[in-house]
Structure formats: structure tokens, C-alpha cells
Amino acid sequence: MTTVLRTQALSKIFRVGFWGRPVTALENLDLEVSQGEVFGFLGPNGAGKTTTLKILMGLLYPTTGQAWLLDREVGDVAVKQQIGFLPESPYFYDYLTGEEFLRFYGQLFRLDGQRLADRITDLLELVGLRDARRLQLRKFSKGMLQRVGIAQALINDPSLVILDEPMSGLDPIGRKEIRDLIFRLKERGKTVFFSSHILHDAEMLCDRVGMLVQGKLVALGRVAELLGAASTQSIEVVVDGLDAEGLAMLETMAHRVVAQGSRVLCVMNGQGRVNDLLDLARARQATVLSLTPQKSSLEDLFIREVREQQHVGSVGEELSP
Amino acid sequence: MTPLVAIALNGFRENLREKLLYNLVLFALLLIGSSILLSRLHLGEDSRLVLDLGLACINLFGVLIAVFIGIGLVSKEIEKKTIYTILAKPVSRSVFLLGKYLGLTITLLVNTAIMLAGLLVVLWLMEAPVTLLLFKAVLLIVMELLLITAVALLCSTFTTSTLSAIFTLAVYVIGHVTNDLKALSGKLDATGQAILTGLYYVLPNLEHFNIKGQVIHQVEVPLDQMALTLAYGVLYTGLVLCLAAGIFQRREFK
């Protein structure tokens, strides 16, 4: 499969303060994203996600290392013909209307005439802003700005779409719409590379994820692989109408039992004794209200990795003279 | 449409939507008010004063626009992060810079043209003679504005709006007294002399673009002097723009 995005030992060191104290924002990042993939670039705030994206878009220069987009080195203006980019919390020319805004961005790709007009209509429809066509951007809500931002990123029908925190600041409906949009892009064979710290979205959307903590890539791979095969950690069962004797038997099976009125919540470790619990409920004429597997999530992995890095950092500090 | 033209026209549209050309109303009121006042006072040749005032206003309003819009051309785009999406498109940094410059140039040209038309109307109402010299003076004012805009743009590529405004206004003021700098340097010690002579050669000599006195007193400005002054302006502006592009190319957007 063709590689559309590649970085090799990419590092960025910023100089901060009066004395130019070096701060490493990104350290030896090696990454490859293949055509048609939805890739989630995850990490806590300040992990170096935006720095990476800015290097890819030529807004920052790497201190060391190299990066390529569609087999061309970043910084090559021509490659941007096939790329769409949405920056984090985007600001746009607020004196333009939705339509003028998209027309301007289309003109930067030398699009014009009916072709551009049709494209604008399609995009406004796609991001649900048909009615805001003649509304100035200064009157847009945050969600609308995010959506028009995505529309501008797609104006050139790019083969690689790079989105920096596309879901941030959106309500649940807005986030769902963006998720659907990313799915639609994937269906059309586009490659989507997006950064996020909203893990739930990434878990649902991504073919692969990379996790960045303090400038270092700490995990990379398919979500299922990263979470491990035995991802189901526990099962929560809610039973209604169990008698006292049944309850006593239940306590021997479950890891934890919480009774509330006639309802009982029991947490089972693993799947082993779930069938026994169901048999018990049936025999005692009780009703099973729900059965919910509690999976280990990306969030657990994320928190674990962040803690580990922080631990390594603090040990390093203790050891350093 | 090329990206350069698109960026320039967008810049012009921004100035229009920001209601920048409202200053023209102020200019018109000033000009009409003063001509009414002067015609009542009957201080001899009213038209000379109107001409003087009119040209001074065209120059002053132009410089104010060039400085205060020019300094924000790039720094505002960086502060508001609008530049991120533009540079993510197939647009080189120098095209972006030149586009922003051309956008303000269009605004300045439109502004000057309307002010000049206003001045001509007032002169016509006063039945004052209009000579080619007036147009030459306005042409040189425009050249000066283009140069000042380039300086403002240059400052805007590496520092904040406030510092850019201070630098550009300083260049404008010193640019009009560079001859005095040279004269003053003769009276200083070696170090002072070197600094002032350096400033004399590095900063633009903006007095070349000021022929208002000649217009008022109807002293003809020969064509070769005009051509030389314009060539000086174009060359200086070009060099400043190249320097701005060089700095902007290295700029990082944190």
C-alpha cells in the first residue's frame, strides 16, 4: 500500500525565554500512514501533536529529521494541491460570508467559474451550512466555524486530509457529524490524519492510532492490538427480583455485589462464571435487566502511558546530577 | 484567477468591509468646510490654500492608512492564525506577502483617486486652474505611500503591531529630515558622524517625493527629475519587499 505521510526521526526543539532555554516539543518521531487509512494522532495537551502537524504543513521547520507528504518533502508548495488542512481552533476572515470564504480558498487552488460554484454548493450541503451561505463568518457559532473550516479543507477534493483537533469545542451532535464526515471520506478512499485528545472518537474512527506523550511516540498500531486480545476486563450484570438466598449465592460468584432495593448490580471478573449467574437468575425467577462488558479502552491505555512517561521523567530527574 | 490576485482582492475587500474608506467622508468635509471658510475670509488667492490643504490631506490620510493597515498586514494574520490555512494551500510565502501588499496598494490607489477627484471638484467650483503639476505631485505621493507600505510590511514580518507602528512612523519622520541629518553630522564627533551618515544612506529620502511647494508656487518639475524620483521609489520599495520576503521565509508560526 502506498505511503502518503512519512516522518523520519523528526524532532523539534523550541528556544524559550530570554536565554533561549531549549524545550523539546518533539523527539525522533518515526511515522508512516498509508493511503486510505484513518489515522488518529493522540496525546494529552502539550504532547507535540500540533507541532507535528505544523511541521507537516510547513508552518514550522524541524530541528532535525525529515518528513514527506505524498512522496514529496514537506515545504514543497506543489504537494499542497492534494492536501486539505484544518488547524486547531481555526480563525478565519470574519468579514466574509460562508460562500465568499469558500470561493476565496477555491481561488487559491486556481479553481473558478461554475466548477467552483458547484463545489461550494456541495461542500456547504455536506457540512450542513446551506442556510449560512450568505451569513458573515463573524455571526457563526463555534460549531459552524469548525464545519466551515472542514469545508475549506475539502475545497480541492484532497487525497490527504489533515485535521488538528476536529472535534474540540463541538457538542455531541457536532462531533457525530464530524465522525460521519470522516467515515464518508474514508469510503471515498481518502486518507485522514487527525489529532485528538478525545479518545472515544478515535477509538470508533481509526484504523490505527499513534500516541504521543511529552514529544515521544509511546504507542503505535491498530486499536485492537494496542488494547490487547483480552480487552474485556469485567462484566456488569443487573438483576432484578432476586431473593435473599439467591443473593447469598451470587456473592460467592461475583467479584462485587451492590444491592439497591430489589435490584442487584454484580461485577464479574472475566467471562468465566457469567453463565452460572444467568442460570441462577433463571432458577430463582429473577429478571436479568442488563449485561454490559467493560472493555479496556484507549483511555486506560492513554492514562497508563502518560503516567509511565511522567514516572520515567521524574526518575530521570532524580538520577540526573 | 491566480492566488496572488485572490489574496490581493481579498485584502482590498477586507479594507472595504472594515469601513476604512469612511476617512474619505472626513476628508471631503474638511475640504468643503475649509473652502467655505476661506471663501468667506477672502484672503487673496483661496485656491492656493485649498490646493495646499488638499494635497496635505491626501498625503496624511494615505500615510495613516499605509502605516496603520500596513503594520497589521502580516502580524494580524499571524495573531489571528488565519495564515495557517492560507499557507496550507499551494501558496508560497512570498506570493502571500506580495498579495497582501498589493491588496493594500489597491486600497491606497482607490482612496487617493477619490480624494483627488474631491479636490478637483472643489478647485473647479472655485474656478481655480488645474495643471499637470498637481497630478505629478499626487503620483509622487502615491509612490511615497507604496514605499511606506513596504516598510510597514517589512516591520510586520518580524515584530508586533505596536513596534511596527513605531518603527514605520520613525522611518516616515526621519525620512523627511534626512537632509538635516547630513547637515547635522558635520557638527558631531566621528562616531556620531558615522551613525548619522549611515542613517542618511540607509533610510529613504522621502523629501524627494514632496513637490507640494512647487505645485503651490507653480514651479515646473522636469520629467527627468520625476523619472529619477520614481525609479528611486520603485527600487527602494522593491529592495524592502525582497528583504521582507527573506525574513518571512524563515519565520516560524508557533
Side-chain angles (χ1 to χ4, degrees):
Chain A
M1 202 173 260
T2 329
T3 304
V4 293
L5 186 157
R6 188 156 66 93
T7 69
Q8 196 178 56
L10 204 62
S11 298
K12 179 70 189 173
I13 297 169
F14 288 114
R15 300 266 161 195
V16 297
F18 184 75
W19 304 108
R21 186 171 57 87
V23 172
T24 306
L26 194 64
E27 206 177 322
N28 284 324
L29 177 70
D30 290 311
L31 207 61
E32 277 193 22
V33 177
S34 304
Q35 195 185 354
E37 253 190 323
V38 175
F39 189 94
F41 197 43
L42 313 176
N45 292 333
K49 305 187 296 288
T50 298
T51 301
T52 310
L53 264 55
K54 281 184 177 173
I55 291 174
L56 291 175
M57 296 319 299
L59 296 167
L60 287 175
Y61 297 115
T63 309
T64 53
Q66 277 178 297
W68 296 263
L69 295 175
L70 304 164
D71 280 334
R72 285 174 190 245
E73 257 192 83
V74 292
D76 183 342
V77 172
V79 77
K80 290 172 182 167
Q81 200 74 37
Q82 296 173 62
I83 290 169
F85 174 59
L86 172 76
E88 187 183 7
S89 8
Y91 294 87
F92 300 117
Y93 301 107
D94 57 7
Y95 52 88
L96 297 178
T97 65
E99 185 180 3
E100 287 169 340
F101 171 77
L102 292 179
R103 171 157 299 117
F104 171 56
Y105 279 85
Q107 284 163 347
L108 297 181
F109 287 96
R110 295 171 189 267
L111 296 173
D112 237 326
Q114 195 55 44
R115 197 170 146 225
L116 179 58
D118 292 344
R119 183 84 193 133
I120 291 169
T121 309
D122 291 349
L123 281 174
L124 287 173
E125 188 79 40
L126 182 74
V127 296
L129 287 175
R130 200 180 48 187
D131 298 334
R133 200 182 181 111
R134 303 203 194 288
L135 192 68
Q136 277 190 338
L137 261 56
R138 65 184 67 180
K139 291 172 187 149
F140 274 35
S141 70
K142 195 171 179 187
M144 288 164 83
L145 279 176
Q146 192 78 0
R147 282 188 273 164
V148 85
I150 288 183
Q152 67 79 27
L154 302 177
I155 190 89
N156 54 327
D157 196 17
S159 53
L160 168 63
V161 185
I162 297 177
L163 309 169
D164 196 358
E165 300 283 357
M167 276 84 151
S168 77
L170 295 183
D171 58 19
I173 297 170
R175 273 167 48 194
K176 187 186 175 307
E177 282 173 357
I178 303 288
R179 275 202 307 267
D180 292 347
L181 193 72
I182 292 177
F183 274 129
R184 257 178 283 165
L185 288 172
K186 182 181 165 58
E187 276 168 13
R188 288 168 52 201
K190 312 284 184 195
T191 311
V192 183
F193 182 87
F194 75 94
S195 77
S196 183
H197 60 259
I198 302 174
L199 301 166
H200 179 64
D201 295 326
E203 202 167 338
M204 284 199 286
L205 275 173
C206 299
D207 296 315
R208 284 195 312 143
V209 295
M211 206 173 273
L212 203 62
V213 181
Q214 292 176 355
K216 288 183 205 144
L217 192 68
V218 293
L220 176 70
R222 298 193 167 273
V223 176
E225 285 168 12
L226 288 179
L227 297 180
S231 59
T232 303
Q233 288 187 327
S234 61
I235 295 169
E236 284 182 8
V237 188
V238 180
V239 185
D240 190 23
L242 200 64
D243 55 27
E245 198 181 335
L247 193 62
M249 290 168 79
L250 190 66
E251 275 169 355
T252 61
M253 294 178 196
H255 171 60
R256 195 153 55 94
V257 177
V258 182
Q260 208 170 43
S262 65
R263 290 186 180 187
V264 183
L265 164 77
C266 36
V267 180
M268 314 288 290
N269 269 346
Q271 294 170 357
R273 300 202 68 184
V274 174
N275 283 340
D276 296 343
L277 188 148
L278 293 179
D279 290 341
L280 174 75
R282 220 171 294 156
R284 296 270 157 192
Q285 320 257 300
T287 320
V288 175
L289 294 177
S290 69
L291 192 149
T292 322
Q294 299 294 307
K295 286 186 176 177
S296 158
S297 66
L298 261 184
E299 195 159 303
D300 301 322
L301 179 71
F302 185 84
I303 292 167
R304 204 167 60 224
E305 291 292 349
V306 172
R307 286 206 179 129
E308 248 170 51
Q309 282 300 316
Q310 282 169 347
H311 176 68
V312 169
S314 59
V315 169
E317 273 167 29
E318 279 167 23
L319 290 177
S320 65
Chain B
M1 190 180 286
T2 65
L4 181 72
V5 178
I7 292 169
L9 290 180
N10 189 48
F12 177 56
R13 181 160 43 193
E14 175 175 11
N15 294 335
L16 284 186
R17 299 251 164 111
E18 301 292 344
K19 313 205 170 34
L20 185 72
L21 297 182
Y22 275 12
N23 79 85
L24 292 170
V25 178
L26 190 67
F27 167 79
L29 288 176
L30 250 169
L31 206 63
I32 294 164
S34 62
S35 56
I36 292 170
L37 197 70
L38 290 171
S39 61
R40 283 196 184 155
L41 289 173
H42 284 290
L43 284 172
E45 283 189 73
D46 307 339
S47 65
R48 278 191 181 183
L49 281 166
V50 171
L51 207 55
D52 197 7
L53 191 74
L55 282 175
C57 278
I58 291 177
N59 201 342
L60 180 73
F61 281 97
V63 168
L64 289 179
I65 294 175
V67 173
F68 289 103
I69 305 294
I71 54 164
L73 278 182
V74 173
S75 55
K76 208 169 91 184
E77 296 262 355
I78 297 171
E79 277 159 29
K80 287 191 160 187
K81 299 181 185 172
T82 41
I83 197 165
Y84 293 1
T85 43
I86 304 286
L87 294 184
K89 305 284 183 263
V91 176
S92 71
R93 291 188 179 197
S94 37
V95 165
F96 170 79
L97 204 66
L98 202 58
K100 295 300 290 180
Y101 178 74
L102 288 179
L104 185 49
T105 301
I106 298 171
T107 307
L108 286 167
L109 286 177
V110 170
N111 194 59
T112 310
I114 296 174
M115 283 189 180
L116 177 62
L119 179 61
L120 289 175
V121 168
V122 174
L123 288 173
W124 177 70
L125 288 175
M126 296 178 83
E127 295 175 4
V130 174
T131 61
L132 184 65
L133 203 51
L134 171 64
F135 295 97
K136 284 183 181 170
V138 173
L139 184 61
L140 290 186
I141 288 176
V142 169
M143 189 63 247
E144 184 186 9
L145 296 181
L146 295 186
L147 199 159
I148 291 294
T149 308
V151 172
L153 184 73
L154 169 66
C155 294
S156 153
T157 54
F158 63 84
T159 186
T160 59
S161 298
T162 318
L163 283 177
S164 298
I166 294 170
F167 289 153
T168 314
L169 284 173
V171 168
Y172 177 70
V173 173
I174 301 172
H176 275 285
V177 295
T178 48
N179 287 331
D180 299 338
L181 283 184
K182 205 178 180 189
L184 186 69
S185 72
K187 294 172 184 163
L188 294 176
D189 59 358
T191 322
Q193 223 168 36
I195 293 172
L196 288 193
T197 315
L199 278 177
Y200 174 76
Y201 284 112
V202 170
L203 293 175
N205 187 340
L206 298 177
E207 268 307 299
H208 286 320
F209 303 101
N210 181 10
I211 56 164
K212 291 186 210 70
Q214 283 98 313
V215 178
I216 313 292
H217 299 103
Q218 294 295 315
V219 179
E220 193 49 54
V221 178
L223 271 182
D224 57 345
Q225 188 193 327
M226 281 292 294
L228 206 61
T229 311
L230 286 174
Y232 170 69
V234 169
L235 197 67
Y236 200 102
T237 307
L239 281 174
V240 173
L241 287 178
C242 285
L243 187 59
I247 294 174
F248 193 54
Q249 191 62 39
R250 284 173 186 76
R251 175 98 199 230
E252 294 203 286
F253 306 103
K254 287 175 191 167

